[in-house]
Amino acid sequence: MATTVTAPEVRARKGGDRLVMVTAYDAPGARIADAAGVDLILVGDSVANNVLGYEDTLQVTVDDIAHHVAAVGRTRPRALVVADLPWLSYHTGVGDAVRNAGRLIRAGAGAVKLEGGRKRLPVVEALIDAEIPVVGHLGLTPQSVLAMGGFKVQGRAGQAVRRLLDEALALADAGVFALVLEGIPDRVAELVTDSVAVPTIGIGAGAACDGQVLVFHDLLGLGDRPVPKFVRAYAALGRDATEAIARWAADVRSGAFPGDAESYHLPAETARELGLEPHPSAPGPAEPAPGVPSSRAPAPTGSGRP
Ligand SMILES: Nc1nc(=O)c2c([nH]1)NC[C@@H]1CN(c3ccc(C(=O)N[C@@H](CCC(=O)O)C(=O)O)cc3)CN21
Ligand SMILES: CC(C)C(=O)C(=O)O
Ligand SMILES: [Mg+2]
């Protein structure tokens, strides 16, 4: 069994092999991501948009995230599971923040992520004091959507760039083991990456970061709306899934589904006892005594598939 990726191992990847992080919100998503060999799985508060049908991430609660973290954690992935601290779970005091983060760790996370810079330093320090590894998140921070006036690229003006760099340095100083940079110009992310001692993980932050993160549904083409500019879709699973269900629906309506192969058959003996025609691919004698060898039924003639 491969061992789990740890926060110190992620920290040590600064300037080394690029880090790969993807969101996952449930067990099948986590298994798919882990089988692909990603380093980190993010149980993002973007579960709000991508799974729960909300317009923004402000609607999800610690209960919601814990529920999804538990599903991901049950798959025992090799990747490090990072849980987003949702909006208002760390804004009401350091004690609340530690208790809420602790719930996500007990639900199965190996680290937590929170949004914001200098004003989050007391919380970051308290979490680290409580032995909880923390990932920072700067730039386009979706929990600030109302304050930002929309999902807008950040760090475009000189003063904003200087502030971003200062906040990144302060978070790294406080002890975050990685820093997500979202929705900032590539040159700004490069400046931050070259300045901080911890790995940067970019999303809409250009190619210079120490790693990249994307949302599962965006990467796989599972979303229901246009994706941001920074997404590259490597599959069209939403389209494929709709086509598959439509083909099945047509087979149901035409009677082509289910076929023989998808049906159970009466044992020949029972059929005869009831005066019915035995099915050509019927199994042998009904319910043979355990351990008593029975003559095998003839192999099914057709696969039952078109
Ligand atoms: N499916 C999904 N993907 C994400 O990347 C994502 C979520 N959901 N939900 C939470 C946040 C919200 N995010 C978003 C949402 C929209 C834009 C967006 O439309 N950006 C504009 C930028 C406009 C500008 O300021 O230049 C774009 O056109 O890309 C960006 C990030 C990122 N996160
Ligand atoms: C976009 C990533 C970084 C995130 O925070 C999320 O998916 O919730
Ligand atoms: Mg998030």
Side-chain angles (χ1 to χ4, degrees):
M1 239 296 275
T3 54
T4 305
V5 176
T6 67
E9 283 163 15
V10 171
R11 165 72 187 75
R13 290 268 286 274
K14 176 68 186 181
D17 289 347
R18 284 195 183 87
L19 290 161
V20 180
M21 180 190 232
V22 67
T23 70
Y25 311 112
D26 57 18
R31 277 194 211 98
I32 289 165
D34 206 53
V38 304
D39 302 300
L40 304 107
I41 290 173
L42 174 64
V43 183
D45 56 355
S46 57
V47 69
N49 315 74
N50 298 305
V51 174
L52 302 178
Y54 293 122
E55 283 298 314
D56 57 49
T57 58
L58 303 180
Q59 306 302 323
V60 297
T61 64
V62 178
D63 283 354
D64 293 328
I65 302 285
H67 184 73
H68 291 275
V69 165
V72 165
R74 279 179 207 117
T75 70
R76 302 238 155 261
R78 189 195 77 97
L80 177 61
V81 177
V82 180
D84 258 345
L85 279 168
W87 179 64
L88 228 53
S89 72
Y90 56 96
H91 307 67
T92 56
V94 159
D96 284 352
V98 174
R99 270 186 293 276
N100 287 323
R103 283 194 55 202
L104 300 183
I105 297 294
R106 285 192 172 145
V112 300
K113 177 167 78 60
L114 57 79
E115 300 182 4
R118 282 202 171 276
K119 59 188 166 192
R120 307 292 171 227
L121 289 179
V123 165
V124 170
E125 283 161 5
L127 293 172
I128 293 168
D129 276 356
E131 320 299 349
I132 298 172
V134 181
V135 177
H137 184 164
L138 291 174
L140 191 174
T141 47
Q143 291 174 17
S144 320
V145 60
L146 302 178
M148 290 185 304
F151 298 109
K152 295 185 176 151
V153 171
Q154 302 294 301
R156 279 180 157 146
Q159 188 53 45
V161 175
R162 280 187 289 272
R163 188 168 58 243
L164 198 83
L165 181 57
D166 170 71
E167 307 219 274
L169 289 165
L171 286 170
D173 239 33
V176 300
F177 71 92
L179 183 59
V180 167
L181 298 177
E182 176 166 357
I184 61 176
D186 51 0
R187 192 64 191 77
V188 175
E190 184 178 2
L191 185 65
V192 172
T193 300
D194 290 346
S195 306
V196 298
V198 299
T200 59
I201 303 177
I203 173 166
C209 298
D210 297 298
Q212 295 289 324
V213 54
L214 275 183
V215 165
F216 186 91
H217 292 62
D218 293 345
L219 168 48
L220 296 177
L222 270 170
D224 64 336
R225 56 178 71 199
V227 291
K229 168 187 165 74
F230 56 74
V231 171
R232 189 184 297 173
Y234 284 79
L237 296 194
R239 180 204 64 197
D240 291 352
T242 299
E243 282 175 12
I245 293 173
R247 283 196 290 122
W248 173 71
D251 282 353
V252 169
R253 292 183 179 121
S254 73
F257 178 91
D260 251 13
E262 295 104 359
S263 302
Y264 302 103
H265 305 303
L266 208 52
E269 203 170 83
T270 313
R272 275 191 293 274
E273 182 190 320
L274 297 171
L276 299 170
E277 190 64 35
H279 192 277
S281 59
E287 289 151 29
V292 175
S294 65
S295 59
R296 277 291 293 127
T301 47
S303 74
R305 289 172 204 285

